[in-house]
Amino acid sequence: GGLRPSENNHLVLQARSSVGREIIFVTGETPTERMTIHDNGNVGIGITSPGYKFHVLTQNEDDFAARIENNHGEGRGLLIVGGESPSMNSLRIDARPSTDGTRKSIFQVRGDGKVTIGSATSLGRLLINTRDNTNWAVDIANGGGSGKGLRIRAAASSTTPIFSAFTHGGDRRFEVRAN
């Protein structure tokens, strides 16, 4: 395998055989596999059998697995485009699987715009769910001295609550209405 002669001024890399047809990139004095383009089109960095179209794996506990950076002062960072289905995640961040192999979803953005933190489902646009009995689920702080803290806006209807507080069992304990 290797480089083929130019086809319409394109660089062509071709696998050695018709079996497994992966393209493997190696570096170092002792050749170490760094990147794989699998025969199904999946690309892996740090993994020999990538399970996704782009799969990065690292064993480094002191740094991130990947970084996407736009160094322009007003540039954008990352665009993720997903489907519109309310039952599917456009973006999901999971915690590392526990010792029993189960993954914990810690942040999700659904196709309908609903956001969940620490939970799989949300009745509203944002749900933050914690199992921590010693800390607040949400702590909103503004250290700017005279800065503002929290603003909640809703339609000006006297029948629609702007804010409601419930017990864990679902009993309404506190409510604020527009009028």
Side-chain angles (χ1 to χ4, degrees), residues 14-175:
Q14 185 173 2
R16 276 182 235 151
S17 71
S18 61
V19 179
R21 299 188 75 103
E22 295 153 346
I23 298 174
I24 299 169
F25 295 83
V26 297
T27 61
E29 288 183 24
T30 306
T32 303
E33 187 171 325
R34 303 293 183 183
M35 186 171 88
T36 301
I37 301 175
H38 200 270
D39 60 347
N40 63 9
N42 292 354
V43 176
I45 297 175
I47 185 166
T48 57
S49 296
Y52 302 93
K53 288 297 175 193
F54 184 61
H55 193 159
V56 177
L57 177 68
T58 184
Q59 300 294 326
N60 185 354
E61 69 180 51
D62 297 326
D63 206 355
F64 295 99
R67 178 176 174 163
I68 297 172
E69 182 176 353
N70 181 341
N71 203 23
H72 188 277
E74 297 183 26
R76 297 181 174 120
L78 177 65
L79 172 65
I80 298 173
V81 178
E84 295 178 4
S85 171
S87 64
M88 300 299 287
N89 293 318
S90 290
L91 171 67
R92 187 174 94 189
I93 300 174
D94 290 352
R96 183 89 186 128
S98 60
T99 54
D100 67 359
T102 58
R103 262 181 216 266
K104 179 182 177 189
S105 179
I106 56 176
F107 182 83
Q108 298 178 55
V109 179
R110 300 285 179 142
D112 61 359
K114 290 184 179 177
V115 177
T116 62
I117 302 172
S119 178
T121 59
S122 173
L123 297 175
R125 283 286 180 205
L126 173 64
L127 171 68
I128 301 172
N129 187 11
T130 179
R131 302 281 184 227
D132 186 341
N133 293 327
T134 59
N135 295 304
W136 294 96
V138 177
D139 182 8
I140 299 172
N142 183 341
S146 62
K148 298 174 182 172
L150 173 65
R151 179 176 176 176
I152 300 174
R153 295 192 299 172
S157 166
S158 60
T159 60
T160 304
I162 294 174
F163 177 80
S164 298
F166 295 86
T167 65
H168 184 68
D171 297 325
R172 188 179 313 222
R173 295 293 185 204
F174 178 74
E175 185 173 276

